[in-house]
Amino acid sequence: MRAMRATTLGLLLSAGLAGCVTPGGTTQPHGTAPSGEATQAAQALYTKGQFDQAAQAYLALADQDATHRDYFRLLAAESYRQEGALERAAPVLGDIRRSRLEGEDALRFDAIRAELALKKGDPATALSLTGKPSSRVSPQIEQRLAELRARAQVASGDPWSAAQTRVDLDGQLRGIDREQNRKEILAILTSLGAQPLATRGATLPANDPLRPWVMEAQTQLGSATRSPAVLDQAVGTVTGDKGVREGYKVPTKVALLLPLTGPLAGAGAAIRDGFFANYIDAAHTNAPRPEVVVYDSGNDATHAVAAYDKAVSEGARFVVGPLNRDGVSAIFAKGALPAPMLTLNYPNDNKNLPPSGANEFGLLPETEGAQVADHMADRGLHSAVVIVSTDDFARRAGNAFKAEWQARGGKLAGQVTLDANSIDFASQLSGAGIGATPEGDTDGGVFISMKPQQARLLMPQLRLTRNTEPVFATSHVYAGSDDPTTDRDLEGVEFCDAPWLFDAQPGLPHRADLASAIPATRGVAARLFAFGMDAWGLVPYIDWMRGHPGSYLPGATGQLVADEFGRVRRVLIWARFTDGVARPVAGSLELEAPATAPTVESGGG
């Protein structure tokens, strides 16, 4: 008899935040459960989704069994709820004596009353019914009460508390329930508006679990960029209790999804070569490494999804890729992912959080634009002129620079988009008010984002305007190899870039040692090669990094930081052209090699 009631309760308690019925376990109620053919028949109707008929059957049982009358009426009310006829549950609930309900039945009674109160526009009553249980209860009822409490907090005009309730709930949820809860958190926080959100967020302690959600909401409102966390400690430098390297965990089989044919094949080959260069070099630590299989993900969404599905069907426990944004979006649209992944780009709609099990990594122009703004602000500059080309990467980097610059309190003194077909920029520069720097004016700078050829044309003309303000650029200004004669025109330009291009990151294969054998390590392709190196470097550590804010991987493309949502950010180094040669700026970033150990702990994925 007890087993019969446990099954029924499991079905009801695991109805889910979205109202679907899924079998699940539950805490055993007290007392002796009713049984019999009529009870089994009512339960069968409920299980089949015939909720209206189940409600009628449970009401009939309530009339026949005075001992369990209140229990059966509760089941009838919940059946009406599942039918979507919550108003029909009201009179049934009104005739239930809470004191006669056993175990968690009383909390289920409170939950459905709270839901009814919310429907009637009475959040105060709903709040009074959904307080945190004083004793341990089953996850299902705890989650249902928390979700109702959050809804009541919003309805009562306290969205901040509602967000805190949902953040507390986040770690308990899985699948579609978690995705929906996360959307609700961001919807609640963004509804506060930029300034109130900033004011509230400033009061949170550094380790408050709500803090990253506030940052994410601020980003969606355009009032903050997704800056990396403060670099605290490199991965692999803390030794675990058993002498193994903390954080290192590899799956048994990894799939690498890259375009091996079509217009992106060259990029795919450079990333693949970098991935395996670092994978092979990692053997010197004697760390366990997974089997890696490469799949052609093509250049569109259809091929990317097909490659992911094939990799999973052939036993991949972790997927790296794909490279194209449409492919990332299409795989994310599948919902629950059968194998976790590290994408090599971001989805088209980058405002949504990655689905559970997904991590995002990419060479974003926005990252560079924002970091140039931060660098200039840290240098004490207060005004900036923005000069960009018509390329997509330059436009995106420029927009990110302006957003971050203004968020840091900087002033935009002028903006220019250079004509791609012109070599004389004098009229454009003068039209934007760019000219001689006023005597004694030392708080301004110039931000540029363009390829080397255009920058080499711009810089002499910028000097002819008698502008003496320092010039800062994105990595695109550097061709990836030394050319002192041609690059002398870029004298003094400071730019952010990947440390591996200058062999400035210890612990990685040296670029100079690989350059003669691997073409992808030379020129601009070297950034993609470095990107591939980091793709492998992240595989063993990504899970640990997500759970340890401030931890970072000293990578080829920068210091890599993963936020709580699985987005990997890069902190780049700074270089400057001196006598036509680009060299890292001393002290631009503390570089630390990951410690190696002869023994590390592996884990299945």
Side-chain angles (χ1 to χ4, degrees):
M1 291 189 298
R2 186 176 296 274
M4 167 64 71
R5 186 169 179 188
T7 302
T8 304
L9 284 173
L11 289 168
L12 291 169
L13 286 176
S14 61
L17 303 183
C20 58
V21 180
T22 307
T26 155
T27 302
Q28 286 281 2
H30 298 293
T32 303
S35 184
E37 292 183 5
T39 303
Q40 294 179 24
Q43 180 190 343
L45 290 170
Y46 188 97
T47 304
K48 293 176 183 178
Q50 298 174 342
F51 300 119
D52 183 79
Q53 292 172 269
Q56 297 302 318
Y58 283 129
L59 288 173
L61 284 166
D63 291 339
Q64 298 164 15
D65 187 345
T67 303
H68 300 99
R69 173 181 177 279
D70 300 279
Y71 168 67
F72 280 127
R73 291 187 73 82
L74 174 61
L75 293 184
E78 289 187 318
S79 297
Y80 281 133
R81 173 184 176 269
Q82 290 298 102
E83 180 70 15
L86 190 60
E87 68 284 349
R88 294 179 67 185
V92 178
L93 293 170
D95 199 25
I96 293 176
R97 294 162 295 179
R98 189 180 189 277
S99 61
R100 297 292 298 275
L101 295 173
E102 303 171 348
E104 292 184 358
D105 293 350
L107 295 178
R108 292 165 50 215
F109 176 59
D110 292 342
I112 195 168
R113 288 171 63 205
E115 193 168 351
L116 188 61
L118 285 173
K119 186 169 184 178
K120 293 180 177 179
D122 183 6
T125 296
L127 278 174
S128 70
L129 293 167
T130 55
K132 291 186 178 181
S134 57
S135 59
R136 187 174 180 179
V137 298
S138 63
Q140 294 94 336
I141 192 63
E142 183 178 7
Q143 292 162 19
R144 185 176 173 193
L145 288 172
E147 199 271 341
L148 288 167
R149 183 163 61 251
R151 288 169 54 189
Q153 287 165 333
V154 169
S156 61
D158 188 8
W160 186 254
S161 294
Q164 291 175 315
T165 298
R166 287 193 177 276
V167 168
D168 291 341
L169 178 62
D170 183 67
Q172 304 174 40
L173 301 175
R174 297 292 182 270
I176 190 171
D177 287 342
R178 192 178 196 192
E179 304 303 327
Q180 183 59 39
N181 187 60
R182 290 185 155 202
K183 289 179 181 179
E184 292 289 344
I185 295 171
L186 292 176
I188 290 168
L189 291 174
T190 53
S191 71
L192 292 172
Q195 189 53 54
L197 186 61
T199 302
R200 286 274 201 163
T203 66
L204 293 173
N207 61 347
D208 194 294
L210 185 57
R211 193 173 185 84
W213 293 94
V214 171
M215 290 295 297
E216 182 71 22
Q218 287 178 308
T219 299
Q220 293 197 9
L221 289 170
S223 58
T225 59
R226 296 186 176 113
S227 300
V230 175
L231 301 184
D232 179 27
Q233 174 182 278
V235 299
T237 59
V238 177
T239 303
D241 295 338
K242 299 180 180 179
V244 297
R245 197 56 61 186
E246 185 176 12
Y248 189 100
K249 182 181 71 173
V250 292
T252 54
K253 185 175 182 179
V254 171
L256 179 59
L257 273 53
L258 290 170
L260 304 180
T261 55
L264 294 178
I271 295 170
R272 178 199 60 203
D273 291 350
F275 184 97
F276 282 106
N278 203 11
Y279 174 86
I280 293 169
D281 183 74
H284 77 273
T285 65
N286 295 319
R289 294 174 300 159
E291 174 190 358
V292 178
V293 179
V294 182
Y295 295 84
D296 185 359
S297 59
N299 301 268
D300 55 38
T302 301
H303 285 87
V305 171
Y308 178 88
D309 290 342
K310 182 178 181 182
V312 172
S313 71
E314 293 181 354
R317 304 299 298 273
F318 191 91
V319 175
V320 178
L323 181 60
N324 65 83
R325 301 186 74 161
D326 289 341
V328 174
S329 298
I331 293 174
F332 282 6
K334 291 168 65 71
L337 299 175
M341 63 189 305
L342 173 71
T343 67
L344 298 178
N345 211 328
Y346 289 79
N348 292 317
D349 182 2
N350 200 25
K351 287 189 174 182
N352 292 327
L353 295 176
S356 297
N359 306 279
E360 298 173 347
F361 181 40
L363 302 180
L364 291 177
E366 289 84 356
T367 296
E368 299 192 22
Q371 288 188 38
V372 176
D374 289 334
H375 184 64
M376 290 175 63
D378 291 342
R379 288 274 297 266
L381 303 180
H382 298 97
S383 67
V385 172
V386 177
I387 307 176
V388 300
S389 70
T390 55
D391 293 313
D392 179 65
F393 73 80
R395 176 187 58 79
R396 290 166 59 188
N399 288 339
F401 173 88
K402 288 184 286 186
E404 181 70 3
W405 182 247
Q406 291 175 320
R408 293 287 299 261
K411 173 187 175 184
L412 287 176
Q415 302 180 57
V416 179
T417 300
L418 298 182
D419 186 346
N421 298 316
S422 176
I423 60 174
D424 183 357
F425 308 129
S427 61
Q428 287 183 272
L429 295 177
S430 62
I434 301 174
T437 305
E439 188 174 348
D441 186 359
T442 59
D443 72 343
V446 178
F447 166 71
I448 67 173
S449 185
M450 60 195 65
K451 293 178 180 177
Q453 301 90 324
Q454 198 169 34
R456 294 177 191 129
L457 290 172
L458 169 67
M459 288 305 298
Q461 297 180 54
L462 194 59
R463 295 187 185 101
L464 286 175
T465 67
R466 293 184 295 166
N467 175 80
T468 59
E469 294 178 339
V471 179
F472 304 87
T474 58
S475 65
H476 308 94
V477 77
Y478 177 49
S481 57
D482 293 339
D483 188 351
T485 302
T486 307
D487 285 340
R488 201 169 295 276
D489 287 332
L490 300 176
E491 189 72 12
V493 174
E494 200 166 308
F495 62 96
C496 56
D497 212 333
W500 186 76
L501 268 64
F502 309 96
D503 280 332
Q505 180 61 76
L508 295 172
H510 283 205
R511 182 187 184 194
D513 295 339
L514 300 176
S516 60
I518 306 177
T521 62
R522 303 191 289 270
V524 294
R527 293 189 183 93
L528 292 173
F529 187 91
F531 184 46
M533 294 173 71
D534 285 347
W536 159 249
L538 285 165
V539 170
Y541 288 113
I542 186 65
D543 287 345
W544 194 85
M545 291 168 67
R546 288 182 65 164
H548 294 77
S551 65
Y552 65 94
L553 178 72
T557 63
Q559 309 295 58
L560 308 179
V561 184
D563 66 20
E564 293 85 346
F565 309 116
R567 293 193 179 107
V568 178
R569 306 296 172 199
R570 301 185 299 137
V571 180
L572 294 87
I573 67 166
W574 286 89
R576 182 187 297 118
F577 286 99
T578 304
D579 296 328
V581 178
R583 289 292 179 263
V585 176
S588 67
L589 185 65
E590 289 294 325
L591 301 175
E592 179 182 356
T596 59
T599 306
V600 291
E601 183 177 33
S602 64

